[in-house]
Amino acid sequence: MRRQKKWIPVLCLLVLLAAALLWYARPVNIYTLQPQLEPDRLNVMVSRFLSDGYRESREANLDSSDPSMAEVLAQLEALRFRRPPGNLMRQFQKQVITGRQVRGGEYEIRMTLYGRTGHSLRLGFFIDEWSYSTPSDRELPLSVSNGETAGKALAETLWALGTPVTSPS
């Protein structure tokens, strides 16, 4: 009997740890990723990859007075992100950059939402992967249900709002 009691604190700790990881990995919205965010402006760069491996880019700068900002914000608010439990450790590890093969018609989005209170949230989408940046500027992965479809829909909305970026001659 005494031997079984030794394991009770260890089991309780494991149950608490599992509960904490499940809570962290729950579906969250942009306001959970950055709780003080009151979106006022959006800066975005969206790139569309061409079949020859090159890309064309557009940028958009929207503010709360722009009706398009409400449309984009509604799309972002509808997304539910899941943070992998590994992010808890990944934010303290050395960042690893990997490469991916791209095909024509795929998108990359880099956006920053700025809030009235000075807080901001950076989100990224690349082909089918989502990411966000922590306050310490660590880019961490996110998963989104139907992430590729949601990312392409958002990219197409942003593409239509953006103006072409010209490269310097």
Side-chain angles (χ1 to χ4, degrees):
M1 188 69 159
R2 183 164 240 209
R3 196 174 184 153
Q4 291 176 344
K5 287 184 179 181
K6 284 183 179 179
W7 290 102
I8 290 175
V10 173
L11 286 174
C12 287
L13 185 62
L14 288 174
V15 167
L16 284 173
L17 180 63
L21 291 176
L22 287 172
W23 176 84
Y24 182 80
R26 77 195 187 286
V28 298
N29 61 20
I30 59 173
Y31 302 107
T32 305
L33 293 174
Q34 178 49 270
Q36 297 87 9
L37 188 65
E38 295 176 26
D40 189 46
R41 288 182 308 135
L42 170 68
N43 294 352
V44 64
M45 173 76 74
V46 60
S47 298
R48 182 171 55 190
F49 294 95
L50 306 173
S51 58
D52 59 6
Y54 291 98
R55 71 168 85 185
E56 52 187 353
S57 299
R58 291 188 176 190
E59 63 182 352
N61 297 302
L62 308 173
D63 63 33
S64 57
S65 66
D66 189 334
S68 300
M69 173 81 169
E71 177 187 353
V72 172
L73 197 53
Q75 279 186 278
L76 289 172
E77 288 171 341
L79 295 174
R80 291 299 173 261
F81 303 98
R82 286 185 179 269
R83 300 169 291 185
N87 281 2
L88 292 169
M89 295 302 296
R90 196 174 285 120
Q91 62 186 318
F92 301 109
Q93 297 172 339
K94 183 178 177 182
Q95 192 124 11
V96 177
I97 299 173
T98 59
R100 298 254 331 249
Q101 182 70 33
V102 295
R103 296 184 308 266
E106 294 178 321
Y107 289 97
E108 177 179 20
I109 304 171
R110 294 283 167 212
M111 72 177 79
T112 305
L113 277 164
Y114 294 97
R116 292 179 185 91
T117 58
H119 294 88
S120 63
L121 173 65
R122 287 188 313 187
L123 290 172
F125 170 75
F126 182 64
I127 304 174
D128 60 355
E129 298 173 348
W130 287 87
S131 63
Y132 77 108
S133 293
T134 64
S136 61
D137 281 338
R138 295 301 307 235
E139 192 167 314
L140 299 174
L142 293 167
S143 64
V144 175
S145 182
N146 296 319
E148 184 174 5
T149 304
K152 281 187 176 182
L154 180 61
E156 288 167 0
T157 298
L158 295 169
W159 186 263
L161 296 173
T163 56
V165 174
T166 56
S167 56
S169 304

